[in-house]
Amino acid sequence: MSTRDDDLKADLLQGTLDLLVLKALSLSPMHGYGVSRFIRERTDGVLTIESAALYQALHRLERRKLVRAKWGLSENNRRAKFYELTAEGRRQLQTETDALRSYVEALFLVLDPR
């Protein structure tokens, strides 16, 4: 694979991870482990997110003001950073969900022609 192909793959994976994180946080504020667990459970273990990639995504989304963070106590009474969607994050989630849905539908028109 060329560097350009690697860059495209990285952008696709990063965008997909961001979308998954936004979706998880649309349900309720969560700490990083909660986001990871949500994605793993909703995909029956097919998708597991490495901690480093997850926290890079959370920090990237925070810099873009799509999520905000505040400290709180986790379910096992440990101090943890909880992330929640901002209004802009909710709009971005809808925009990206619509775009991905259109993209996937177009792919299946090619992969499964009628």
Side-chain angles (χ1 to χ4, degrees):
M1 255 186 170
S2 70
T3 301
R4 183 175 175 177
D5 290 340
D6 289 342
D7 289 346
L8 180 61
K9 184 178 176 184
D11 288 347
L12 180 61
L13 292 174
Q14 176 179 310
T16 303
L17 176 56
D18 289 357
L19 179 59
L20 293 172
V21 170
L22 290 173
K23 179 59 182 178
L25 295 175
S26 73
L27 304 174
S28 69
M30 294 183 201
H31 50 69
Y33 180 75
V35 171
S36 177
R37 184 178 59 213
F38 169 83
I39 294 168
R40 186 178 60 252
E41 288 174 358
R42 286 292 290 261
T43 64
D44 293 327
V46 172
L47 297 180
T48 58
I49 310 302
E50 292 182 24
S51 292
L54 174 63
Y55 286 100
Q56 287 173 5
L58 286 165
H59 294 148
R60 182 172 52 250
L61 294 168
E62 192 174 11
R63 281 192 307 275
R64 292 176 58 201
K65 303 211 183 311
L66 301 178
V67 303
R68 65 177 148 255
K70 57 184 170 185
W71 289 97
L73 292 178
S74 68
E75 51 277 350
N76 55 1
N77 215 25
R78 290 192 176 151
R79 198 167 116 94
K81 202 179 226 188
F82 283 79
Y83 297 87
E84 64 182 345
L85 280 187
T86 62
E88 182 61 27
R90 287 195 186 284
R91 285 189 291 276
Q92 186 69 23
L93 172 61
Q94 188 61 56
T95 298
E96 289 185 26
T97 298
D98 293 345
L100 184 60
R101 185 170 283 121
S102 294
Y103 179 77
V104 169
E105 288 171 359
L107 281 177
F108 276 101
L109 288 173
V110 174
L111 296 173
D112 190 20
R114 295 188 173 104

